[in-house]
Amino acid sequence: MSDFFGHLLGLLRVEALSPRHHAVFAAARTRRPAFARHATLESVLAAMADAREETYPEREALTRALVAEMQASSSPAWTAGLAAAYAPMLRRLRRRLLGSAVPREDLDQLVLATFLSVARAFPLSRWGDWTAVRLRQQTAREVFRHLRKERAEQHETYTQAQLAEWLPDTRHATPVESPRRPSVRRSFVKRDAVLVHLARGTLPHSDVEVLMATVVRREKLRAYASRLVEGDADETERTYQRLKRQRTRLMQRLRTQAVDVAAQPSGGC
């Protein structure tokens, strides 16, 4: 687990226990019987840290109260409080994540963002028990599903036949360049260079799709992410951030390749 992740969880605990949230918790005590015996959110976190078997019923009730307040209120006290309460579980999950499919700092964000997203969407009315277990299982399932998807996209490639169905025939096309633009810019890769790279059949499936949508068809990346997810705002944002990183890495490779190709001496006399 990265040191930053532990530091981040510590900062969330500090935020949850900030004096500016005391009034928020005091109001919640009048709505949630589980909070009644706790004068402060710090007392709730102490009770949540007691892992003895006989304390599970109270921890279950406190979890449900924290989730309910998080879903009903925009106060950061509940987001930070729930993350602080489940910090041991989040640390264990983060320690399980190994490999290079996702940068280390992105894994920190993935674990925390996934847990909070699962909690916001948790159906309290449908599932009346084993809330802590369900939160843990759903968070782990979503995190590993995301990582499997990342790894699959890094290794899956199109066949030449599949590429032929995607790409237009550019053998007779004459590239047209504006005299006001250099042929290779830091922020731009020529369309023909992209297509040449695609035709080599070495790009992962997802790279082909992103390039075809955002470079060839000029679709906005956020619009493309929204179209992939179809309505889920949290998932759209996660997808957009992932695609943005993916496309940045890919475009850097393509820029390097285009420069290398341009620097090669041409054949013939």
Side-chain angles (χ1 to χ4, degrees):
M1 181 186 74
S2 70
D3 293 337
F4 177 75
F5 189 66
H7 180 64
L8 177 61
L9 292 175
L11 290 177
L12 288 170
R13 182 181 179 87
V14 171
E15 170 65 25
L17 301 182
S18 172
R20 65 178 176 273
H21 299 315
H22 287 176
V24 173
F25 181 76
R29 289 183 70 202
T30 66
R31 298 188 297 269
R32 310 292 175 188
F35 292 155
R37 80 172 189 89
H38 299 281
T40 64
L41 189 53
E42 185 173 15
S43 175
V44 170
L45 296 183
M48 292 291 293
D50 186 350
R52 292 176 299 165
E53 183 176 356
E54 58 266 30
T55 67
Y56 182 83
E58 182 184 16
R59 285 183 284 125
E60 168 75 6
L62 289 173
T63 293
R64 295 183 67 82
L66 287 168
V67 171
E69 286 298 320
M70 179 186 177
Q71 293 178 353
S73 170
S74 61
S75 172
W78 306 115
T79 300
L82 189 66
Y86 277 83
M89 180 273 282
L90 295 173
R91 289 192 184 97
R92 288 193 297 271
L93 176 57
R94 178 62 183 85
R95 282 194 291 266
R96 293 170 60 190
L97 306 183
L98 303 173
S100 59
V102 176
R104 183 174 63 181
E105 59 273 17
D106 291 347
L107 289 175
D108 299 338
Q109 179 180 345
L110 174 64
V111 170
L112 184 58
T114 300
F115 172 68
L116 296 177
S117 177
V118 167
R120 287 191 192 98
F122 191 85
L124 289 167
S125 60
R126 185 173 69 184
W127 289 337
D129 57 3
W130 299 106
T131 306
V133 174
R134 295 180 195 274
L135 285 173
R136 173 173 55 81
Q137 290 177 341
Q138 286 192 30
T139 300
R141 186 180 302 119
E142 287 300 307
V143 165
F144 285 110
R145 182 188 65 80
H146 178 87
L147 292 179
R148 283 194 299 270
K149 184 177 180 181
E150 287 274 355
R151 293 189 181 104
E153 289 176 347
Q154 287 185 8
H155 292 91
E156 183 180 5
T157 59
Y158 275 125
T159 65
Q160 289 294 335
Q162 289 171 319
L163 283 171
E165 295 179 359
W166 272 79
L167 301 178
D169 187 352
T170 59
R171 288 174 296 176
H172 304 297
T174 302
V176 177
E177 298 175 6
S178 167
R180 293 174 296 176
R181 297 182 180 179
S183 58
V184 178
R185 300 188 308 171
R186 293 179 63 188
S187 61
F188 180 75
V189 178
K190 294 184 300 181
R191 172 172 172 158
D192 57 336
V194 173
L195 295 179
V196 166
H197 190 80
L198 287 173
R200 292 177 178 174
T202 59
L203 287 179
H205 185 155
S206 61
D207 286 348
V208 175
E209 292 180 334
V210 171
L211 283 175
M212 291 298 293
T214 64
V215 176
V216 177
R217 296 195 300 268
R218 306 295 187 190
E219 185 175 357
K220 296 292 186 182
L221 184 60
R222 190 174 290 278
Y224 174 63
S226 180
R227 181 163 58 82
L228 289 180
V229 176
E230 296 182 350
D232 187 320
D234 291 335
E235 182 65 20
T236 296
E237 182 60 26
R238 287 197 297 271
T239 301
Y240 169 73
Q241 294 297 335
R242 174 176 60 81
L243 291 175
K244 185 166 66 172
R245 296 190 302 269
Q246 175 186 346
R247 191 178 65 171
T248 297
R249 294 191 295 264
L250 174 61
M251 297 301 271
Q252 184 58 54
R253 291 206 312 269
L254 289 171
R255 281 196 293 269
T256 301
Q257 180 188 1
V259 171
D260 292 342
V261 170
Q264 293 177 1
S266 59
C269 297

